[in-house]
Amino acid sequence: MVKVKRMSLETLRREEILQAALGVIAEKGRANVTLEDIAKAYGCSKGGITYYYSSKEALFKDVFKYFFDTISQKTQKELDKHLDPLSKMLSFIWFVDEENPQTMLMYPLLFEMMSIAYVNTEYQEAFHEWMKSRSDTVLTIVEEGKNAGIFQVDDAAFAVLTVTAAGHGIITRWYLDRKTYSTEWAKKALQYTVIQLLQVKPA
Amino acid sequence: MVKVKRMSLETLRREEILQAALGVIAEKGRANVTLEDIAKAYGCSKGGITYYYSSKEALFKDVFKYFFDTISQKTQKELDKHLDPLSKMLSFIWFVDEENPQTMLMYPLLFEMMSIAYVNTEYQEAFHEWMKSRSDTVLTIVEEGKNAGIFQVDDAAFAVLTVTAAGHGIITRWYLDRKTYSTEWAKKALQYTVIQLLQVKPA
DNA sequence: TTAAAAAAAACGTTTGGTCGGTTTTTGAAA
DNA sequence: TTTCAAAAACCGACCAAACGTTTTTTTTAA
């Protein structure tokens, strides 16, 4: 971990605290989290937290930034494993992985994000930017597939928004109600929506 | 409003308070709502609220129950306007109606619901039951369409879960980021997902 | 007059932020 | 290498504000 050694102590501590906070939020729900909870989870006192974060709000903002960054990085990492557009589009099933605690932690944050966004313009704006950058990434893939004749859909931009939105709905329901929306279903559904909504050319 | 006259005063007051609470939640976000906010919105004192609701939690629970009921009723009402399965499936665009404040109020509640559900088993269970009943309703329609040869998808149960989940994602993104996910897009996307995911027979 | 309905006041708890103090680390001088 | 003062890191008691709930008081209506 050269990176860690290079970090200033402050940067390191802030990230450690932030990750602890994320865990506590995912466990108790944002509204029920106190500074003491976070301090306890991290293993320090309340003073230790306020030493690195001027306010709870500031800390939470950083948590959400971390949430965005983590998802973007993971997405990119999975995309880079594949070359052809169809495989890339199907790589998004990494979202459906019950065994990966890191991934599972992100869902509560997504829900909290949406709950804040509908009332707070700053978060709403952040959500908008996130969606935009995400769409751009996917659009490149879809257009490439369209040019290659793999995706036969007319309107690539429209299809991108639709297939990503559909994916959003699928993983949301999977996370919240795995009794009805099983893991098996979620994986198949993600695949099915890609095939049907991008109109993948039959083999 | 014969119904209202038949109600006991208590039932009436409870419903009025509940609706006021819903409005305040949608406006300020659940975590930031106090009893005084609700009292002010309703036009009474804090004591007036506690006279009819033993606790804030009890009131909020009723708000979410109201939320479920309202959506179910509205859904049924829209479904009843149509006879053929395809029209019925397309009737769900009532969700996308910026001009209907009643409808728009429901989105914040949906987001709050999900935020509570991931941490509270009681709400999680309620969400599950809601999804189940919703799926059953749609399954009837899809099977009818399948028998009539309108929907050519193989697995009706699978398709139902997928098309409803996709719809969930579409309306969610539409509500939260209308800059990227325009109203026009949302309506087209709902239609498109029905057609593609249920494999509607070409005319 | 009495009981229900509503308001007002009081109460007690929780919690985020502050701040003075304590411990630990750092780095330069001896 | 040791010493030691200054800075950084961290602790935790305390405070004030916010809030849900309970209790008391007032108003309304039958």
Side-chain angles (χ1 to χ4, degrees), chain B:
Chain B
M1 286 280 176
V2 178
K3 214 174 183 180
V4 169
K5 293 208 84 170
R6 289 247 175 95
M7 280 198 239
S8 73
L9 182 64
E10 183 180 339
T11 307
L12 174 65
R13 287 280 180 273
R14 282 174 65 101
E15 175 148 349
E16 287 172 348
I17 290 170
L18 171 169
Q19 287 178 4
L22 194 153
V24 180
I25 291 175
E27 184 193 337
K28 305 189 55 174
R30 176 182 124 267
N32 310 311
V33 172
T34 70
L35 284 183
E36 254 139 12
D37 291 331
I38 298 167
K40 209 172 120 191
Y42 177 50
C44 75
S45 73
K46 206 158 58 157
I49 304 290
T50 60
Y51 183 77
Y52 288 105
Y53 278 101
S54 59
S55 76
K56 192 183 173 185
E57 250 325 294
L59 167 55
F60 277 21
K61 246 182 228 171
D62 260 23
V63 170
F64 282 103
K65 179 169 295 190
Y66 178 82
F67 159 75
F68 285 135
D69 292 346
T70 303
I71 291 194
S72 294
Q73 282 169 26
K74 173 77 173 170
T75 298
Q76 199 55 54
K77 204 178 124 193
E78 292 295 325
L79 281 176
D80 289 344
K81 288 185 185 169
H82 303 90
L83 285 172
D84 65 301
L86 180 56
S87 297
K88 283 189 189 218
M89 288 307 299
L90 296 177
S91 80
F92 286 98
I93 56 161
W94 71 263
F95 275 105
V96 182
D97 184 0
E98 231 167 331
E99 308 305 318
N100 189 332
Q102 180 99 21
T103 302
M104 295 302 273
L105 274 183
M106 293 300 145
Y107 284 87
L109 268 287
L110 173 63
F111 301 144
E112 296 293 355
M113 176 76 206
M114 300 195 300
S115 288
I116 306 179
Y118 82 75
V119 84
N120 179 317
T121 46
E122 192 179 347
Y123 279 78
Q124 197 168 351
E125 191 60 31
F127 188 80
H128 168 68
E129 291 302 326
W130 189 43
M131 291 297 103
K132 218 168 56 178
S133 101
R134 213 128 224 292
S135 299
D136 287 347
T137 305
V138 180
L139 184 56
T140 312
I141 302 169
V142 171
E143 272 175 340
E144 190 192 332
K146 196 156 127 57
N147 290 336
I150 303 169
F151 304 144
Q152 301 183 317
V153 67
D154 279 340
D155 188 340
F158 169 81
V160 162
L161 296 183
T162 306
V163 77
T164 53
H168 181 150
I170 289 165
I171 63 176
T172 295
R173 298 217 170 176
W174 167 73
Y175 184 84
L176 284 177
D177 180 14
R178 255 160 285 171
K179 227 189 284 183
T180 304
Y181 300 89
S182 71
T183 298
E184 193 200 9
W185 165 81
K187 289 179 180 171
K188 270 176 60 181
L190 283 178
Q191 186 181 326
Y192 183 63
T193 48
V194 166
I195 292 173
Q196 289 298 112
L197 299 180
L198 300 181
Q199 299 178 26
V200 171
K201 187 181 179 178

Side-chain angles (χ1 to χ4, degrees), chain A residues 161-180:
Chain A
L161 296 182
T162 307
V163 77
T164 53
H168 182 150
I170 289 165
I171 63 176
T172 295
R173 298 216 171 177
W174 167 73
Y175 184 85
L176 284 177
D177 181 14
R178 256 160 285 171
K179 226 189 286 181
T180 304

Side-chain angles (χ1 to χ4, degrees), chain A residues 59-95:
Chain A
L59 167 55
F60 278 19
K61 248 183 226 170
D62 261 22
V63 169
F64 283 104
K65 180 169 295 191
Y66 177 83
F67 159 75
F68 285 136
D69 292 346
T70 303
I71 291 195
S72 294
Q73 282 169 25
K74 172 77 175 170
T75 298
Q76 199 54 55
K77 204 177 124 194
E78 293 295 325
L79 280 176
D80 289 344
K81 289 185 186 169
H82 303 91
L83 285 173
D84 65 301
L86 180 56
S87 298
K88 283 188 189 220
M89 288 307 299
L90 295 177
S91 79
F92 285 98
I93 56 160
W94 71 263
F95 275 105

